[in-house]
mmCIF file of all heavy atoms in Angstrom:
data_model
loop_
_atom_site.group_PDB
_atom_site.id
_atom_site.type_symbol
_atom_site.label_atom_id
_atom_site.label_comp_id
_atom_site.label_asym_id
_atom_site.label_seq_id
_atom_site.Cartn_x
_atom_site.Cartn_y
_atom_site.Cartn_z
ATOM 1 N N ARG A 34 -5.549 -4.267 0.118
ATOM 2 C CA ARG A 34 -4.161 -4.767 0.064
ATOM 3 C C ARG A 34 -3.434 -4.232 -1.166
ATOM 4 O O ARG A 34 -2.277 -3.817 -1.079
ATOM 5 C CB ARG A 34 -4.140 -6.303 0.067
ATOM 6 C CG ARG A 34 -4.389 -6.913 1.434
ATOM 7 C CD ARG A 34 -4.106 -8.401 1.442
ATOM 8 N NE ARG A 34 -4.880 -9.145 0.471
ATOM 9 C CZ ARG A 34 -6.102 -9.623 0.660
ATOM 10 N NH1 ARG A 34 -6.713 -9.438 1.810
ATOM 11 N NH2 ARG A 34 -6.721 -10.299 -0.286
ATOM 12 N N ARG A 35 -4.103 -4.232 -2.319
ATOM 13 C CA ARG A 35 -3.481 -3.706 -3.547
ATOM 14 C C ARG A 35 -3.165 -2.221 -3.388
ATOM 15 O O ARG A 35 -2.106 -1.751 -3.798
ATOM 16 C CB ARG A 35 -4.389 -3.930 -4.766
ATOM 17 C CG ARG A 35 -4.431 -5.364 -5.245
ATOM 18 C CD ARG A 35 -5.097 -5.493 -6.611
ATOM 19 N NE ARG A 35 -6.386 -4.841 -6.703
ATOM 20 C CZ ARG A 35 -7.557 -5.413 -6.414
ATOM 21 N NH1 ARG A 35 -7.604 -6.652 -5.990
ATOM 22 N NH2 ARG A 35 -8.679 -4.743 -6.547
ATOM 23 N N PHE A 36 -4.076 -1.484 -2.791
ATOM 24 C CA PHE A 36 -3.875 -0.059 -2.587
ATOM 25 C C PHE A 36 -2.687 0.184 -1.654
ATOM 26 O O PHE A 36 -1.841 1.035 -1.917
ATOM 27 C CB PHE A 36 -5.145 0.572 -2.010
ATOM 28 C CG PHE A 36 -5.095 2.064 -1.948
ATOM 29 C CD1 PHE A 36 -5.416 2.826 -3.054
ATOM 30 C CD2 PHE A 36 -4.711 2.715 -0.781
ATOM 31 C CE1 PHE A 36 -5.357 4.219 -3.008
ATOM 32 C CE2 PHE A 36 -4.659 4.092 -0.723
ATOM 33 C CZ PHE A 36 -4.981 4.836 -1.837
ATOM 34 N N ALA A 37 -2.603 -0.586 -0.576
ATOM 35 C CA ALA A 37 -1.492 -0.435 0.370
ATOM 36 C C ALA A 37 -0.166 -0.759 -0.313
ATOM 37 O O ALA A 37 0.833 -0.059 -0.098
ATOM 38 C CB ALA A 37 -1.704 -1.333 1.583
ATOM 39 N N ALA A 38 -0.149 -1.790 -1.143
ATOM 40 C CA ALA A 38 1.079 -2.152 -1.861
ATOM 41 C C ALA A 38 1.469 -1.052 -2.839
ATOM 42 O O ALA A 38 2.648 -0.690 -2.946
ATOM 43 C CB ALA A 38 0.892 -3.481 -2.599
ATOM 44 N N ALA A 39 0.490 -0.499 -3.539
ATOM 45 C CA ALA A 39 0.771 0.588 -4.483
ATOM 46 C C ALA A 39 1.279 1.822 -3.744
ATOM 47 O O ALA A 39 2.200 2.501 -4.207
ATOM 48 C CB ALA A 39 -0.484 0.926 -5.290
ATOM 49 N N ARG A 40 0.696 2.106 -2.597
ATOM 50 C CA ARG A 40 1.140 3.255 -1.794
ATOM 51 C C ARG A 40 2.586 3.046 -1.342
ATOM 52 O O ARG A 40 3.398 3.977 -1.393
ATOM 53 C CB ARG A 40 0.241 3.441 -0.581
ATOM 54 C CG ARG A 40 0.702 4.596 0.313
ATOM 55 C CD ARG A 40 -0.164 4.765 1.541
ATOM 56 N NE ARG A 40 -1.437 5.332 1.134
ATOM 57 C CZ ARG A 40 -2.595 5.091 1.733
ATOM 58 N NH1 ARG A 40 -2.658 4.261 2.745
ATOM 59 N NH2 ARG A 40 -3.700 5.669 1.315
ATOM 60 N N ALA A 41 2.921 1.845 -0.907
ATOM 61 C CA ALA A 41 4.295 1.561 -0.462
ATOM 62 C C ALA A 41 5.276 1.730 -1.616
ATOM 63 O O ALA A 41 6.353 2.316 -1.450
ATOM 64 C CB ALA A 41 4.377 0.153 0.118
ATOM 65 N N GLN A 42 4.896 1.232 -2.799
ATOM 66 C CA GLN A 42 5.759 1.385 -3.971
ATOM 67 C C GLN A 42 5.943 2.860 -4.312
ATOM 68 O O GLN A 42 7.048 3.310 -4.623
ATOM 69 C CB GLN A 42 5.180 0.652 -5.174
ATOM 70 C CG GLN A 42 5.314 -0.845 -5.081
ATOM 71 C CD GLN A 42 4.673 -1.532 -6.274
ATOM 72 O OE1 GLN A 42 3.753 -1.004 -6.897
ATOM 73 N NE2 GLN A 42 5.152 -2.720 -6.588
ATOM 74 N N ARG A 43 4.855 3.622 -4.248
ATOM 75 C CA ARG A 43 4.932 5.052 -4.540
ATOM 76 C C ARG A 43 5.840 5.764 -3.537
ATOM 77 O O ARG A 43 6.669 6.591 -3.915
ATOM 78 C CB ARG A 43 3.529 5.669 -4.496
ATOM 79 C CG ARG A 43 3.540 7.164 -4.840
ATOM 80 C CD ARG A 43 2.370 7.929 -4.279
ATOM 81 N NE ARG A 43 2.384 7.866 -2.823
ATOM 82 C CZ ARG A 43 1.299 7.956 -2.071
ATOM 83 N NH1 ARG A 43 0.119 8.116 -2.616
ATOM 84 N NH2 ARG A 43 1.385 7.882 -0.754
ATOM 85 N N ASP A 44 5.685 5.416 -2.266
ATOM 86 C CA ASP A 44 6.496 6.050 -1.232
ATOM 87 C C ASP A 44 7.984 5.784 -1.448
ATOM 88 O O ASP A 44 8.816 6.690 -1.319
ATOM 89 C CB ASP A 44 6.070 5.570 0.159
ATOM 90 C CG ASP A 44 4.690 6.078 0.562
ATOM 91 O OD1 ASP A 44 4.152 6.973 -0.136
ATOM 92 O OD2 ASP A 44 4.150 5.570 1.561
ATOM 93 N N VAL A 45 8.313 4.545 -1.787
ATOM 94 C CA VAL A 45 9.720 4.203 -2.046
ATOM 95 C C VAL A 45 10.228 4.957 -3.265
ATOM 96 O O VAL A 45 11.331 5.520 -3.257
ATOM 97 C CB VAL A 45 9.888 2.679 -2.214
ATOM 98 C CG1 VAL A 45 11.267 2.332 -2.750
ATOM 99 C CG2 VAL A 45 9.646 1.977 -0.884
ATOM 100 N N ALA A 46 9.420 5.000 -4.312
ATOM 101 C CA ALA A 46 9.825 5.715 -5.530
ATOM 102 C C ALA A 46 10.045 7.203 -5.233
ATOM 103 O O ALA A 46 11.006 7.805 -5.713
ATOM 104 C CB ALA A 46 8.780 5.535 -6.628
ATOM 105 N N GLU A 47 9.165 7.793 -4.439
ATOM 106 C CA GLU A 47 9.326 9.215 -4.097
ATOM 107 C C GLU A 47 10.575 9.444 -3.261
ATOM 108 O O GLU A 47 11.260 10.452 -3.431
ATOM 109 C CB GLU A 47 8.076 9.732 -3.378
ATOM 110 C CG GLU A 47 6.910 9.942 -4.315
ATOM 111 C CD GLU A 47 5.740 10.656 -3.669
ATOM 112 O OE1 GLU A 47 5.751 10.859 -2.433
ATOM 113 O OE2 GLU A 47 4.820 11.018 -4.408
ATOM 114 N N GLN A 48 10.911 8.516 -2.382
ATOM 115 C CA GLN A 48 12.129 8.653 -1.585
ATOM 116 C C GLN A 48 13.359 8.607 -2.488
ATOM 117 O O GLN A 48 14.304 9.386 -2.301
ATOM 118 C CB GLN A 48 12.207 7.551 -0.531
ATOM 119 C CG GLN A 48 11.207 7.716 0.584
ATOM 120 C CD GLN A 48 11.176 6.522 1.519
ATOM 121 O OE1 GLN A 48 12.022 5.647 1.451
ATOM 122 N NE2 GLN A 48 10.191 6.490 2.387
ATOM 123 N N VAL A 49 13.344 7.715 -3.460
ATOM 124 C CA VAL A 49 14.466 7.619 -4.400
ATOM 125 C C VAL A 49 14.571 8.897 -5.233
ATOM 126 O O VAL A 49 15.661 9.442 -5.420
ATOM 127 C CB VAL A 49 14.308 6.370 -5.308
ATOM 128 C CG1 VAL A 49 15.307 6.385 -6.452
ATOM 129 C CG2 VAL A 49 14.446 5.106 -4.485
ATOM 130 N N MET A 50 13.430 9.390 -5.720
ATOM 131 C CA MET A 50 13.448 10.626 -6.508
ATOM 132 C C MET A 50 13.957 11.795 -5.669
ATOM 133 O O MET A 50 14.753 12.618 -6.149
ATOM 134 C CB MET A 50 12.051 10.933 -7.057
ATOM 135 C CG MET A 50 11.597 9.965 -8.132
ATOM 136 S SD MET A 50 10.032 10.413 -8.940
ATOM 137 C CE MET A 50 8.884 10.448 -7.604
ATOM 138 N N ALA A 51 13.515 11.860 -4.411
ATOM 139 C CA ALA A 51 13.947 12.951 -3.538
ATOM 140 C C ALA A 51 15.451 12.884 -3.282
ATOM 141 O O ALA A 51 16.127 13.917 -3.295
ATOM 142 C CB ALA A 51 13.180 12.900 -2.224
ATOM 143 N N ALA A 52 15.957 11.679 -3.070
ATOM 144 C CA ALA A 52 17.398 11.529 -2.834
ATOM 145 C C ALA A 52 18.184 11.977 -4.061
ATOM 146 O O ALA A 52 19.212 12.663 -3.954
ATOM 147 C CB ALA A 52 17.727 10.080 -2.489
ATOM 148 N N GLU A 53 17.688 11.600 -5.232
ATOM 149 C CA GLU A 53 18.380 11.996 -6.467
ATOM 150 C C GLU A 53 18.297 13.512 -6.679
ATOM 151 O O GLU A 53 19.282 14.140 -7.071
ATOM 152 C CB GLU A 53 17.790 11.252 -7.670
ATOM 153 C CG GLU A 53 18.576 11.405 -8.931
ATOM 154 C CD GLU A 53 20.018 10.910 -8.831
ATOM 155 O OE1 GLU A 53 20.330 10.080 -7.971
ATOM 156 O OE2 GLU A 53 20.838 11.380 -9.653
ATOM 157 N N LEU A 54 17.147 14.095 -6.411
ATOM 158 C CA LEU A 54 17.013 15.555 -6.517
ATOM 159 C C LEU A 54 17.956 16.261 -5.550
ATOM 160 O O LEU A 54 18.584 17.264 -5.904
ATOM 161 C CB LEU A 54 15.569 15.979 -6.246
ATOM 162 C CG LEU A 54 14.604 15.840 -7.406
ATOM 163 C CD1 LEU A 54 13.164 15.948 -6.915
ATOM 164 C CD2 LEU A 54 14.887 16.891 -8.462
ATOM 165 N N GLU A 55 18.044 15.733 -4.346
ATOM 166 C CA GLU A 55 18.925 16.337 -3.353
ATOM 167 C C GLU A 55 20.381 16.271 -3.821
ATOM 168 O O GLU A 55 21.132 17.238 -3.718
ATOM 169 C CB GLU A 55 18.760 15.604 -2.024
ATOM 170 C CG GLU A 55 19.311 16.344 -0.843
ATOM 171 C CD GLU A 55 18.903 15.674 0.456
ATOM 172 O OE1 GLU A 55 17.731 15.791 0.832
ATOM 173 O OE2 GLU A 55 19.774 15.036 1.065
ATOM 174 N N ARG A 56 20.768 15.105 -4.346
ATOM 175 C CA ARG A 56 22.136 14.938 -4.842
ATOM 176 C C ARG A 56 22.411 15.901 -5.991
ATOM 177 O O ARG A 56 23.433 16.594 -6.018
ATOM 178 C CB ARG A 56 22.354 13.493 -5.304
ATOM 179 C CG ARG A 56 23.795 13.173 -5.691
ATOM 180 C CD ARG A 56 23.934 11.808 -6.327
ATOM 181 N NE ARG A 56 23.293 11.702 -7.628
ATOM 182 C CZ ARG A 56 23.771 12.242 -8.756
ATOM 183 N NH1 ARG A 56 24.872 12.943 -8.737
ATOM 184 N NH2 ARG A 56 23.135 12.084 -9.892
ATOM 185 N N LEU A 57 21.462 15.980 -6.935
ATOM 186 C CA LEU A 57 21.633 16.876 -8.074
ATOM 187 C C LEU A 57 21.642 18.342 -7.651
ATOM 188 O O LEU A 57 22.423 19.137 -8.172
ATOM 189 C CB LEU A 57 20.521 16.655 -9.097
ATOM 190 C CG LEU A 57 20.718 15.502 -10.066
ATOM 191 C CD1 LEU A 57 19.438 15.279 -10.863
ATOM 192 C CD2 LEU A 57 21.886 15.766 -10.991
ATOM 193 N N SER A 58 20.773 18.696 -6.725
ATOM 194 C CA SER A 58 20.718 20.102 -6.308
ATOM 195 C C SER A 58 22.016 20.501 -5.615
ATOM 196 O O SER A 58 22.460 21.642 -5.741
ATOM 197 C CB SER A 58 19.514 20.364 -5.416
ATOM 198 O OG SER A 58 19.641 19.713 -4.179
ATOM 199 N N THR A 59 22.632 19.553 -4.925
ATOM 200 C CA THR A 59 23.922 19.839 -4.290
ATOM 201 C C THR A 59 25.006 20.011 -5.352
ATOM 202 O O THR A 59 25.770 20.981 -5.324
ATOM 203 C CB THR A 59 24.303 18.706 -3.317
ATOM 204 O OG1 THR A 59 23.297 18.626 -2.317
ATOM 205 C CG2 THR A 59 25.649 18.964 -2.669
ATOM 206 N N SER A 60 25.042 19.082 -6.305
ATOM 207 C CA SER A 60 26.100 19.164 -7.322
ATOM 208 C C SER A 60 25.884 20.325 -8.286
ATOM 209 O O SER A 60 26.842 20.939 -8.751
ATOM 210 C CB SER A 60 26.216 17.846 -8.092
ATOM 211 O OG SER A 60 25.075 17.636 -8.881
ATOM 212 N N GLU A 61 24.634 20.662 -8.579
ATOM 213 C CA GLU A 61 24.333 21.759 -9.497
ATOM 214 C C GLU A 61 24.259 23.099 -8.766
ATOM 215 O O GLU A 61 24.250 24.150 -9.399
ATOM 216 C CB GLU A 61 23.009 21.502 -10.228
ATOM 217 C CG GLU A 61 23.041 20.328 -11.186
ATOM 218 C CD GLU A 61 23.960 20.569 -12.364
ATOM 219 O OE1 GLU A 61 23.997 21.704 -12.875
ATOM 220 O OE2 GLU A 61 24.651 19.622 -12.779
ATOM 221 N N GLY A 62 24.111 23.032 -7.448
ATOM 222 C CA GLY A 62 24.031 24.256 -6.661
ATOM 223 C C GLY A 62 22.674 24.927 -6.690
ATOM 224 O O GLY A 62 22.538 26.074 -6.283
ATOM 225 N N SER A 63 21.647 24.197 -7.184
ATOM 226 C CA SER A 63 20.342 24.833 -7.317
ATOM 227 C C SER A 63 19.238 23.779 -7.433
ATOM 228 O O SER A 63 19.342 22.841 -8.233
ATOM 229 C CB SER A 63 20.368 25.724 -8.558
ATOM 230 O OG SER A 63 19.149 25.816 -9.201
#
Side-chain angles (χ1 to χ4, degrees):
R34 283 191 303 274
R35 286 192 309 271
F36 188 84
R40 178 182 287 149
Q42 286 178 334
R43 182 204 62 207
D44 291 349
V45 169
E47 285 189 351
Q48 289 172 10
V49 169
M50 290 187 301
E53 190 59 23
L54 279 165
E55 196 170 286
R56 187 188 67 74
L57 277 171
S58 68
T59 299
S60 68
E61 293 294 321
S63 148

